[in-house]
């Protein structure tokens, strides 16, 4: 395994080998899951729903911000990942979490430095286990959806059950941007103006991406998973949404990887910048004017 030396602490080493993205074997069942989910998301009280979800999770978070951590892939908020898992430690973790009201754990990815070295990121997302995992002969199949971002605070440790845990600090872009507005309002305004430029590009991107779909309906499903694009006065959220769109998991192969950069960016302006460049490059790649690879 490529990075064994670096990740002896984290069960991610095992997981990278055993958790693979799967294609839906029963599309009908999957679309039912997706449509019931999209009803929730598309409801007029969507915002209230998300807010109450967040509040509930905050209450839990206040009591204990220790999260089991899994190193698999950088995900962005709203992204959906379908995986099958056969690793015994990971399966035990899922079993343990499923008894809770909001079964979730922390998901982290790795990034390649310019030197070529692979490093663990301390910035990740909380993922919720959506619906009931399907039991397979040699494992389970489950659907995860990323919710809040977090950053690992301090050291990670090994839980007695065999997985890795760490204390995390959850990050809320509304709070982050409110702070930025106080310290550097001009920069935040610049982020918002970049965020405004994203919307027409999203329309262009979707049109081009429909022609490069790996499977029919892929883009429609992606849009259902992600919900509506956030407003341009929420530049960070809009940037994360765009990243989630152009960097789905598994990859569509039409854009450079911007998920780790978005997760580790410190300001709304950096995030908007990354999303803007990412989607512009992807459009130029797809329309043939400037190939990325
Ligand atoms: C491709 O997209 C870029 C960026 O939007 C645009 O400037 C260019 O004219 C487009 N080229 C073609 C061939 O459509």
């Amino acid at each position: 395994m490529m990075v064994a030396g670096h990740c002896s602490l984290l069960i991610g080493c095992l997981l990278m080998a055993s958790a693979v993205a799967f294609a839906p074997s029963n599309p009908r069942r999957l679309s039912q899951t997706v449509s019931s989910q999209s009803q929730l998301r598309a409801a007029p009280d969507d915002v209230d729903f998300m807010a109450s979800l967040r509040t509930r999770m905050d209450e839990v978070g206040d009591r204990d911000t220790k999260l089991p951590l899994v190193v698999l892939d950088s995900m962005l908020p709203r992204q959906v990942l379908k995986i099958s898992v056969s690793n015994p430690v990971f399966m035990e973790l899922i079993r343990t979490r499923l008894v809770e009201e909001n079964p979730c754990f922390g998901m982290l990815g790795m990034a390649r430095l310019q030197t070529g070295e692979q490093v663990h990121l301390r910035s990740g997302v909380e993922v919720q286990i959506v619906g009931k995992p399907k039991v397979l002969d040699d494992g389970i199949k489950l659907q995860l959806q990323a919710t809040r971002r977090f950053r690992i605070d301090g050291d990670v440790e090994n839980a007695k059950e065999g997985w890795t845990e760490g204390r995390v600090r959850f990050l809320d872009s509304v709070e982050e941007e409110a702070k930025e507005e106080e310290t550097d309002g001009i920069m935040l305004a610049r982020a918002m103006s970049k965020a405004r430029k994203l919307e027409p590009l999203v329309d262009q991107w979707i049109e081009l991406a429909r022609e490069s779909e790996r499977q029919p309906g892929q883009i429609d499903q992606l849009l259902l998973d992600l919900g509506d694009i956030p407003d341009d006065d929420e530049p960070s959220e809009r940037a994360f949404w765009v990243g989630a769109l152009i960097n789905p998991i598994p990859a569509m192969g039409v854009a450079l990887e911007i998920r780790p950069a978005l997760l580790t960016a410190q300001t709304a302006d950096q995030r908007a910048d990354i999303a803007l460049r990412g989607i512009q490059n992807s459009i130029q790649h797809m329309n043939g004017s400037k190939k990325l690879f």
Side-chain angles (χ1 to χ4, degrees), residues 208-223:
L208 288 164
R210 284 195 201 282
E211 296 162 18
S212 330
E213 284 186 329
R214 292 271 161 99
Q215 69 225 38
Q218 188 179 13
I219 301 295
D220 286 336
Q221 190 183 319
L222 188 54
L223 291 168

Side-chain angles (χ1 to χ4, degrees), residues 192 195-196 199 228-239:
M192 289 181 187
R196 273 192 291 281
E199 192 150 16
D228 291 339
I229 184 170
D231 288 339
D232 51 20
D233 61 359
E234 299 175 60
S236 297
E237 286 309 312
R238 183 171 272 203

Side-chain angles (χ1 to χ4, degrees), residues 22-212:
F22 67 88
S25 62
N26 183 344
R28 196 147 123 257
R29 195 173 164 277
L30 185 73
S31 69
Q32 282 166 353
T33 319
V34 168
S35 68
S36 62
Q37 204 185 346
S38 65
Q39 275 165 12
L40 260 188
R41 309 195 114 247
D45 59 350
D46 185 41
V47 176
D48 292 345
F49 166 73
M50 287 306 286
S52 75
L53 187 68
R54 213 168 283 148
T55 312
R56 264 195 358 242
M57 284 166 32
D58 277 342
E59 282 163 12
V60 175
D62 282 345
R63 264 184 276 130
D64 188 8
T65 55
K66 210 178 240 186
L67 265 191
L69 302 172
V70 170
V71 179
L72 200 53
D73 206 345
S74 282
M75 288 177 73
L76 294 172
R78 307 175 180 79
Q79 283 196 300
V80 169
L81 174 64
K82 301 177 188 85
I83 53 171
S84 57
V85 175
S86 57
N87 175 276
V89 177
F90 198 178
M91 282 172 60
E92 180 58 25
L93 168 62
I94 302 297
R95 238 175 266 128
T96 313
R97 300 311 278 186
L98 278 174
V99 300
E100 305 194 358
E101 193 196 348
N102 277 309
C104 60
F105 56 89
M107 165 85 75
L108 296 153
M110 318 250 322
R112 189 183 292 278
L113 302 181
Q114 279 178 345
T115 58
E117 189 192 357
Q118 293 253 30
V119 293
H120 282 102
L121 296 179
R122 300 183 75 80
S123 303
V125 288
E126 183 177 57
V127 292
Q128 283 192 286
I129 303 167
V130 180
K132 258 177 89 168
K134 191 165 173 242
V135 180
L136 310 171
D137 287 345
D138 59 344
I140 46 175
K141 208 152 117 170
L142 64 158
Q143 179 165 325
L144 305 172
Q145 184 157 32
T147 55
R148 302 183 288 179
R149 288 175 298 126
F150 67 77
R151 202 174 150 75
I152 298 176
D153 249 354
D155 292 332
V156 296
E157 49 194 71
N158 290 318
K160 61 177 187 312
E161 298 90 341
W163 57 77
T164 305
E165 294 183 331
R167 223 164 260 293
V168 302
R169 187 161 42 86
F170 289 108
L171 304 170
D172 179 330
S173 48
V174 173
E175 282 170 23
E176 289 172 321
E177 285 172 6
K179 238 178 255 168
E180 278 186 43
E181 190 162 22
E182 283 171 20
T183 56
D184 196 346
I186 291 173
M187 182 116 100
L188 184 64
R190 198 155 49 186
M192 289 181 187
S193 109
K194 284 172 189 161
R196 273 192 291 281
K197 293 188 189 146
L198 284 170
E199 192 150 16
L201 294 173
V202 164
D203 294 338
Q204 263 184 62
W205 189 92
I206 290 172
E207 202 174 305
L208 288 164
R210 284 195 201 282
E211 296 162 18
S212 330

